């Protein structure tokens, strides 16, 4: 199926057909973090199942663009309407003929990482210089204050090559590790710690050469590029063994593989289905081990009270908040649920100049909570959310695996 | 530790989860979407019409049950219902829920009818429709789900249940919830009213239009997370104030939902929202596990006991296909289905038989074949999924939900305790 | 009692009557139209929404096919705002013989119905929900039309030419003076007042009720057989083009997108009384099966409303009265001057909506002939009010309009994107209108929630703007809910059950409408 066919499939068979389940109950609207902070967005019920009955041909409702694709609506809907998917698809159609250059550029996350890494300190500095950012805002529409990734001097591949092989012998079998673009280039510590925890548990961890899952492009309506990327990634992840569980420390990328590529873009491919069923978010994996009485719980105490924020794209995978459950097992740790639907960044949404204020307003209650509970540190499973919370609250923000790593005595 | 899976996060599922977790069970609460509390009027009904208006619901239960043999109240008696209502009041606290389960309040609706209900938010009690009540009903121009003339004029021409007269007048206030917004939901107002500065301006504006006399009736938007917002507004206005429930989104319903969900989490309930239960495994007469359709594949939830609290047709727990075959959506349970036509064309006539369809249980809420043997020995049911009630017409939904949730939870705990003591003995 | 006078009284405000009164008024006669209810509440408001390309009749009724093709082009122009140029397909499903397409194509050529054969792949690309087992397809110029907009377009044009349109005026007698019609007697249903209209000519356009009207003029035995058929509106447009089965006309062989819904139809049952039409469960099942043939998964799609309409069929001695499908749909004009020694009365029956303008032209020509007063017809040359720009209806209209005005105007009916301003304007035009009268203008309550959220808003706004008092407001709220149910309960399954449960939860559970003051059985008009 090519990209157009995929889109049509998704529109007519999945999301559009699901609009029949909508009974106008308003539950989705009450969960929407964007319509909660601005009247510019009419809300998920309006732009999803309601407006879809009026769509054919020309796109006339541009307020749809304010949807951040956080997925809270689909998650909350008790009737099974695929609201977020409908919105994403309608937006892709709307933007098809008029895709801003900016949206094409900021979705090339692998390229960004690859380009930035060799010159990381300079790149990082440049991203902090106001005049540079002002120009970037004018030319590309990326807001001058939007949170930017922090490049690492060393990639994960570099680390893997250079480190000593792990001392412990693998007793539990083999896992495949998917680090995502950020985990490969920007948030390398997260990948390192994840791998070390898994090895500590007795697993052999394979890290095949791997690219981007295409999520940034998909969320901007660039379905062609996203489809190509996600299938290429599936091929790469499948090279390491067909029955192995794939672990990811990148919450939103996991979601792309588990369901978004299929439900939003209509990608219907055995490779995607295979990877999508084998992949686990790392905290999800640890909780599964715990439920099966297979997780060592000899955690060293850590005296810490901090906010944990479950990102939208993790919540929308429908497994609850496994990180919260795992953190409860570490003595001394009191993880306080953020209570926020969304931190505001929603992938690339909050970077855009016309969406920046909205994104900040969406995230404000979360930033305030972090400042109130523990202004030093907070925890979150996705990269862009960490950057957003870091910028909005001033706290350091880490993946919850950092606490598990520490509690196992690995740091 | 007994593991229990509760399916459905309406008022029945939430109450049962809390009760089970507080007693030491390991509870997973699975729901495919937000529960019905925020679609409801946000009060706790026990029995409103039998079919005549009910003033003392607990007293009326016995007679009602006799007249409706298959009704859940046939086995959930007044003592059970009264105790469960008390339990719910304790869980929520007097800032959120007041009232006496033995005596109905008669409160105005958003179209000006007078509706019986038992337990309410304290923000509603001043609206009691009794002889001599003198109301000024205030509408908000930017809120299209509330028309004060409709409320006031219908109340004024209705004799209140105890006899006498109500005087009511109406006034419309132009007061946006947000700058530039003329079409706001009740929730937008409620969030705005959580902010003390906005609240102050609002109260003063209301004060400016209501004049000196009368108890002030407002749409039920007086704050979402700040449970003292309504009282603050009353003080600022200098008059008694009451809220009138609106069609969804129900802010009073949301307050209850949020409070119960928080309480469940702090009791240690593992809440897993947003996925459907699409299968189960049973062996040896018991359900062993359910399959939850999360993204990327099904996940198994193993437990010793299971509680089905999935609601009725409105939630999709029951489904009538295009051949008019009715199914229960999770376990495909046998249903109690009335004989004859299920739907008729007399809108103002008798309740539609279709909506009395549901699962049959024994007096411990264990699901059974209609009038027969248990389907599984560890599958219970509570709330809207139970057969025999037309909840919205009788005004009985929350009473059935809470009473059945408490009894089902206690039945599960009792079986677990027996198993433990037997285990300890052997 | 009120007395009016006119040259011509037109009885019946369906497409026939509206077309006739327009033509009469444009030809310079003083005209008054009366209907016992709102315009288009008879067959016109209960039909399929199809503006025929003629393709359906190319083999079975070639004369009609040609007429439809010609009139289709005219109506699409003069009533542009009521017509959507959806286009249509004739498709051979797995139970149809694709070879019959040759006969069809031959018929289309001979009747001059524009068509083109298209590849199955192209059709499935254009309409991805269609059955992939289709074996042959032709494209035609079917369109969809809002029957009420069409009728009101014609009526408003008539008003521009001085006609009076009196809805809710029930005819009780037609008086004669010697051998000539002299007066039409009506009751104003809203006030109870008697209204007498002195006139020279009566055009009986009451269609399925035409026999009853003729009887009131002392002309018995006019046999108009109601051929009843049901139609079901599905919640969203499963296709954006009209889809017809490539076969000799059969039941349930057409799916028409009209506004936000698509309509499957229809059946064919002889009825005795056009006011007592039933929607039987087995007919509903039949339509579900027909839908499933065209669109796999149809049964899982959501039906939101059903209705039954009565085709007015003139009894033809060649056809038994039990088999109504094959009675001629061509119109007939009964001149009562010979038959009943009554001059000045013509009864019109039969016909189809697509050719309503042509029917009207012939009727008014016949009237002019009887009066020996030939005047030319100009109805094809002028667009009706509202269609002056010539721009056809598109489904995205309201979405675009609301995008622009939602910061100034609340949206009361969210399903159908009807704003408060639209509602209050309609109220001003029809201060005595029921919510159903207004619904026919605005689509209030015609979406998935079937009035669940908008009924209370409409009631509140009508009361607030002081067009009605509290008694009428409460009565109108009750009446609207009751009337919606008529078309819901016969198709209540699947998703619509959930909706009904929620709507009941709102109306009975939260609002307690059953205990509003006033008596539920006392209905307002």
């Amino acid at each position: 199926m090519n990209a157009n066919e995929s889109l049509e499939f998704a529109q007519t068979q999945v999301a559009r057909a699901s609009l029949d389940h909508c009974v106008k109950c308003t539950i989705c609207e009450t969960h929407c973090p964007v319509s909660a902070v601005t009247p510019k967005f009419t809300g998920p019920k309006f732009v999803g199942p309601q407006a879809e009955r009026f769509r054919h041909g020309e796109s006339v409702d541009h307020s749809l663009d304010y949807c951040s694709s956080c997925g809270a609506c689909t998650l909350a809907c008790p009737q099974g309407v695929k609201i977020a998917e409908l919105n994403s698809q309608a937006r892709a159609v709307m933007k098809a003929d008029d895709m801003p250059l900016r949206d094409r550029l900021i979705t090339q996350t692998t390229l960004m990482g690859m380009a930035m890494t060799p010159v990381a300190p300079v790149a990082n500095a440049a991203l902090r210089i106001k005049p540079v950012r002002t120009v970037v805002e004018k030319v590309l529409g990326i807001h001058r204050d939007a949170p930017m990734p922090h490049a690492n001097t060393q990639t994960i591949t570099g680390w893997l090559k250079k480190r000593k092989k792990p001392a412990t012998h693998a007793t539990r079998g083999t896992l495949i590790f998917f680090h995502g673009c950020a985990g490969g280039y920007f948030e390398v510590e997260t990948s390192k710690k994840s791998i070390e925890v898994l090895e500590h548990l007795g697993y052999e961890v394979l890290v095949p050469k791997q690219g981007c899952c295409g999520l940034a492009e998909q969320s901007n309506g660039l379905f062609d590029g996203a489809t190509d990327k996600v299938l290429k990634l599936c091929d790469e992840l499948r090279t390491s063994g067909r029955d192995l569980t794939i672990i990811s420390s990148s919450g939103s990328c996991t979601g792309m593989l588990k369901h978004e590529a299929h439900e939003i873009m209509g990608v219907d491919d055995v490779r995607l289905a295979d990877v999508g069923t084998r992949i686990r978010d790392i905290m999800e994996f640890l909780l599964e081990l715990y439920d099966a009485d297979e997780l060592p719980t000899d955690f060293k105490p850590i005296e810490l009270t901090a906010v944990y924020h479950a990102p939208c794209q993790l919540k929308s995978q429908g497994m609850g908040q496994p990180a919260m459950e795992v953190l409860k097992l570490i003595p001394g740790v009191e993880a306080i649920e953020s209570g926020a639907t969304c931190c505001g960044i929603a992938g690339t949404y909050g970077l855009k100049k016309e969406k920046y204020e909205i994104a900040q307003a969406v995230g404000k209650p979360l930033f305030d909570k972090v400042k109130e509970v523990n202004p030093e540190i907070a925890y979150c499973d996705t990269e862009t959310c960490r950057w957003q919370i870091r910028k909005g609250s001033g706290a350091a923000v880490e993946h919850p695996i950092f606490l598990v790593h520490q509690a196992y005595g690995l740091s | 530790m007994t593991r229990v899976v509760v399916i459905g996060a309406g008022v029945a599922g939430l109450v049962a989860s809390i009760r089970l977790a507080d007693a030491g069970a390991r509870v997973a609460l699975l729901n495919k979407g937000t529960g019905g509390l925020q679609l409801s009027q946000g009060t706790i009904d026990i029995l409103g019409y039998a079919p005549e208006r009910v003033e003392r619901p607990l007293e009326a239960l016995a007679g009602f049950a006799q007249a409706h043999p298959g009704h859940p109240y046939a086995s959930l008696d007044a003592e059970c219902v009264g105790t469960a209502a008390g339990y719910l009041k304790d869980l929520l606290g007097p800032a959120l829920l007041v009232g006496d389960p033995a005596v109905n309040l008669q409160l105005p609706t958003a179209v000006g009818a007078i509706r019986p209900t038992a337990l309410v938010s304290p923000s509603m009690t001043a609206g009691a429709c009794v002889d001599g009540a003198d109301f000024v009903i205030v509408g908000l121009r930017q809120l299209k789900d509330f028309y004060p003339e409709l409320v006031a004029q219908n109340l004024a021409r209705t004799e209140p249940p105890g006899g006498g007269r109500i005087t009511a007048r109406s006034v419309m206030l132009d007061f946006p919830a947000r700058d530039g917004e003329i079409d706001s939901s009740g929730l937008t107002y409620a969030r705005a009213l959580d902010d003390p500065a906005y609240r102050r301006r609002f109260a003063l504006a209301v004060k400016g239009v209501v004049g000196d006399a009368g108890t002030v009736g407002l749409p039920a938007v007086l704050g979402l997370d700040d449970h003292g917002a309504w009282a603050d507004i009353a003080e600022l206005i200098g008059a008694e104030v009451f809220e009138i429930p609106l069609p969804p989104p129900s802010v009073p319903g949301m307050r209850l939902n949020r409070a119960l969900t928080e309480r469940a989490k702090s009791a240690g309930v593992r809440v897993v929202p947003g996925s459907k239960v699409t299968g189960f495994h049973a062996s040896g007469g018991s359900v062993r596990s359910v399959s939850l359709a999360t993204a990327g594949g099904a996940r198994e939830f193993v437990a010793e006991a299971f509680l089905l609290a999935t609601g009725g047709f409105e939630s999709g727990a029951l489904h009538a296909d295009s051949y008019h075959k009715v199914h229960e959506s999770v376990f495909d349970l046998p249903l109690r289905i009335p004989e004859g036509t299920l739907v008729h064309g007399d809108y103002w006539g008798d309740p539609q038989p279709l909506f009395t369809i549901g699962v049959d249980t024994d007096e411990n809420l264990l699901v059974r074949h209609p009038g027969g043997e248990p389907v599984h020995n560890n599958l219970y049911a509570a709330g809207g999924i139970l057969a025999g009630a037309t909840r919205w017409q009788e005004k009985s939904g929350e009473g059935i939900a809470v009473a059945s949730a408490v009894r089902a939870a206690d039945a599960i705990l009792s079986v677990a305790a027996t198993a433990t003591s037997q285990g300890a003995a052997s | 009692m009120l007395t009016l006078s006119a040259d011509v009284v037109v009885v019946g405000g369906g497409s026939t009557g509206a077309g006739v009164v327009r033509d009469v008024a444009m030809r310079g006669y003083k005209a008054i139209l009366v209907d016992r209810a709102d315009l288009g509440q008879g067959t016109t408001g209960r039909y399929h929404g199809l503006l025929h390309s003629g393709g359906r009749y190319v083999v079975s009724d070639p004369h009609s096919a040609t007429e439809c093709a010609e009139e289709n082009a005219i109506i699409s122009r003069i009533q542009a705002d009521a017509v959507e140029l959806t286009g249509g397909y004739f498709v051979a499903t797995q139970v149809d013989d694709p070879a019959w397409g040759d006969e069809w194509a031959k018929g289309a050529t001979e009747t001059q119905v524009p068509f083109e054969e298209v590849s199955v792949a192209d059709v499935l690309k254009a309409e991805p929900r269609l059955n992939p087992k289709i074996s042959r397809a032709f494209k035609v110029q079917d369109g969809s039309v809002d029957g009420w907009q069409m009728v009101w377009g014609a009526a408003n044009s008539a008003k521009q030419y001085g006609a009076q349109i009196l809805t809710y005026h029930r005819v009780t007698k037609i008086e004669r003076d010697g051998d000539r019609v002299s007066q039409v007697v009506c009751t104003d249903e809203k006030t109870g007042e008697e209204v007498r209209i002195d006139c020279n000519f009566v055009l009986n356009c009451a269609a399925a009720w035409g026999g009853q009207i003729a009887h009131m003029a002392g002309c018995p035995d006019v046999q108009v057989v109601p051929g009843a058929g049901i139609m079901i509106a599905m919640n969203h447009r499963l296709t954006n083009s009209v889809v017809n089965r490539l076969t000799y006309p059969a039941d349930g062989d057409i799916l028409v997108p009209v506004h936000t819904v698509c309509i499957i139809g229809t059946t064919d049952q002889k009825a005795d009384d056009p006011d007592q039409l039933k929607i039987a469960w087995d007919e509903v099942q039949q339509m579900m099966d027909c839908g499933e043939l065209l669109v796999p998964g149809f049964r899982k799609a959501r039906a939101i409303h059903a209705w039954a309409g009565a085709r007015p069929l003139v009894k033809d001695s060649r056809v038994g009265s039990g088999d109504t499908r094959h009675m001629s749909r061509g119109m007939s004009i009964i001149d009562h001057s010979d038959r009943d020694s009554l001059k000045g009365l013509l009864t019109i029956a039969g016909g189809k909506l697509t050719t309503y303008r042509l029917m009207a032209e012939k009727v008014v020509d016949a009237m002019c002939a009887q009066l020996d007063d030939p005047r030319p017809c100009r109805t094809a040359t002028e667009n009706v009010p509202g269609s002056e720009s010539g721009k056809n209806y598109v489904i995205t209209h309201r979405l675009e309009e609301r995008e622009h005005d939602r910061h100034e105007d609340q949206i009361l009916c969210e399903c159908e994107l009807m704003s408060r301003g639209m509602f209050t304007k309609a109220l001003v035009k029809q201060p005595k209108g029921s919510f159903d009268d207004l619904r026919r203008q605005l689509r209030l309550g015609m979406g998935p929630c079937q009035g669940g959220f908008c009924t209370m808003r409409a009631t509140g706004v009508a009361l607030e703007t002081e067009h009605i008092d509290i008694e009428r407001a409460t009565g109108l709220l009750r009446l609207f809910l009751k009337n919606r149910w008529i078309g819901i309960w016969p198709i209540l399954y699947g998703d619509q059950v959930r909706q009904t449960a929620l709507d009941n939860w709102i109306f009975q559970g939260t609002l307690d409408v059953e205990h509003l003051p006033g008596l539920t059985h006392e209905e307002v008009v």
Side-chain angles (χ1 to χ4, degrees), chain C residues 391-464:
Chain C
K391 278 180 74 177
N392 288 101
Y393 174 86
V394 291
I395 182 59
T396 51
H397 268 161
R398 282 196 182 181
L399 186 56
E400 187 168 12
E401 283 163 24
R402 296 295 78 75
E403 180 90 340
H404 288 128
D405 65 21
R406 66 183 180 88
H407 294 292
E408 283 86 46
D409 203 356
Q410 289 176 336
I411 300 172
L412 296 187
C413 169
E414 292 173 272
C415 296
E416 293 295 316
L417 295 180
M418 179 205 82
S419 69
R420 186 186 160 119
M422 289 164 72
F423 184 70
T424 50
K425 279 203 189 84
L427 267 177
V428 166
K429 282 210 185 104
Q430 290 191 64
K432 296 207 193 102
S434 69
F435 292 155
D436 282 295
D437 293 328
L438 298 169
R439 171 180 68 77
R440 283 181 277 271
Q441 301 287 325
L442 302 166
R443 297 190 61 79
L444 169 75
M446 291 179 72
C449 89
Q450 292 289 295
F453 285 83
C454 55
T455 306
M456 184 183 84
R457 294 171 187 158
T459 309
V461 171
L463 182 64
E464 188 186 299

Side-chain angles (χ1 to χ4, degrees), chain B residues 121-135:
Chain B
S121 163
S123 59
M124 296 182 186
T125 55
C129 292
V130 293
D131 179 36
D134 179 32
F135 299 145

Side-chain angles (χ1 to χ4, degrees), chain A residues 178-301:
Chain A
F178 166 53
H179 52 68
C181 305
Y185 303 102
F186 302 122
E187 301 264 316
V188 182
E189 269 313 297
T190 305
S191 304
K192 288 188 207 170
K193 291 193 151 82
S194 301
I195 293 169
E196 285 173 350
V197 167
L198 295 172
E199 287 172 344
H200 172 80
L201 293 175
Y203 291 99
E204 180 198 8
V205 181
L206 301 177
V207 190
K209 174 169 176 303
Q210 54 196 256
C212 174
C213 71
L215 174 57
E217 277 169 293
Q218 177 264 95
S219 68
N220 278 282
L222 295 156
F223 284 16
D224 284 357
T227 303
D228 289 340
K229 286 201 163 69
V230 77
L231 289 174
K232 181 161 185 288
L233 174 62
C234 289
D235 285 333
E236 288 162 341
L237 293 174
R238 276 155 55 93
T239 57
S240 300
R242 293 294 167 89
D243 293 322
L244 302 176
T245 304
I246 304 166
I247 308 294
S248 173
S249 53
S250 179
S252 40
C253 306
T254 312
M256 178 67 169
L257 291 164
K258 276 186 182 179
H259 67 147
E260 287 195 7
H262 174 68
E263 302 219 346
I264 295 177
M265 305 197 300
V267 178
D268 193 17
D269 190 299
V270 296
R271 297 170 285 165
L272 177 68
D274 174 41
V275 169
T277 46
R278 283 193 286 131
I279 192 163
R280 296 290 185 274
D281 171 77
I282 189 162
M283 302 307 285
E284 177 191 9
F285 180 68
L286 295 179
L287 186 62
E288 277 182 10
L289 290 178
Y290 174 72
D291 284 341
D293 288 325
E294 290 175 13
L295 184 75
T297 50
D298 55 334
F299 293 116
K300 295 184 181 6

Side-chain angles (χ1 to χ4, degrees), chain C residues 96-155:
Chain C
D96 301 313
D97 177 8
W100 192 80
D102 296 335
E103 205 181 323
W104 185 91
K106 181 159 165 285
T109 309
E110 284 167 4
T111 53
Q112 299 191 297
V113 169
F115 77 99
E116 130 189 43
E117 181 153 11
V118 292
S119 74
V120 168
D122 282 345
V123 179
L124 292 176
K125 191 160 187 283
E127 295 295 351
R129 288 300 303 263
L130 276 186
N131 197 330
K133 297 195 184 131
I134 286 166
S135 57
R136 197 167 180 190
F138 294 91
K139 195 162 165 37
V140 292
Q141 289 173 9
D142 284 332
S144 85
V145 55
D146 179 323
W148 296 306
Q149 259 185 289
M150 202 181 82
V151 159
W152 277 102

Side-chain angles (χ1 to χ4, degrees), chain C residues 195-263:
Chain C
V195 176
R196 289 176 174 267
I197 312 173
D198 294 324
C199 63
N200 198 29
F201 220 104
V202 173
L203 296 171
N204 176 9
C205 301
W209 294 265
Q212 297 175 26
I213 296 299
H215 194 82
M216 289 177 203
C219 305
D221 296 330
V222 172
Q223 293 219 9
V224 184
V225 179
I230 71 161
M231 271 141 290
I232 303 177
M234 307 302 285
N235 182 47
H236 71 279
R237 291 158 67 115
L238 298 167
T239 63
N240 282 297
S241 320
V242 176
V243 177
N244 307 264
R245 258 179 68 202
L246 186 65
T247 179
Y248 203 83
D251 288 349
D253 58 352
I254 321 180
L255 184 63
V256 184
V258 184
H259 292 293
T260 46
V261 301
C262 63
I263 302 174

Side-chain angles (χ1 to χ4, degrees), chain B residues 256-269:
Chain B
L256 299 180
N257 201 4
R258 286 152 99 91
L260 289 172
T261 307
E262 284 315 304
R263 181 64 175 80
K265 286 183 180 171
S266 62
V269 175

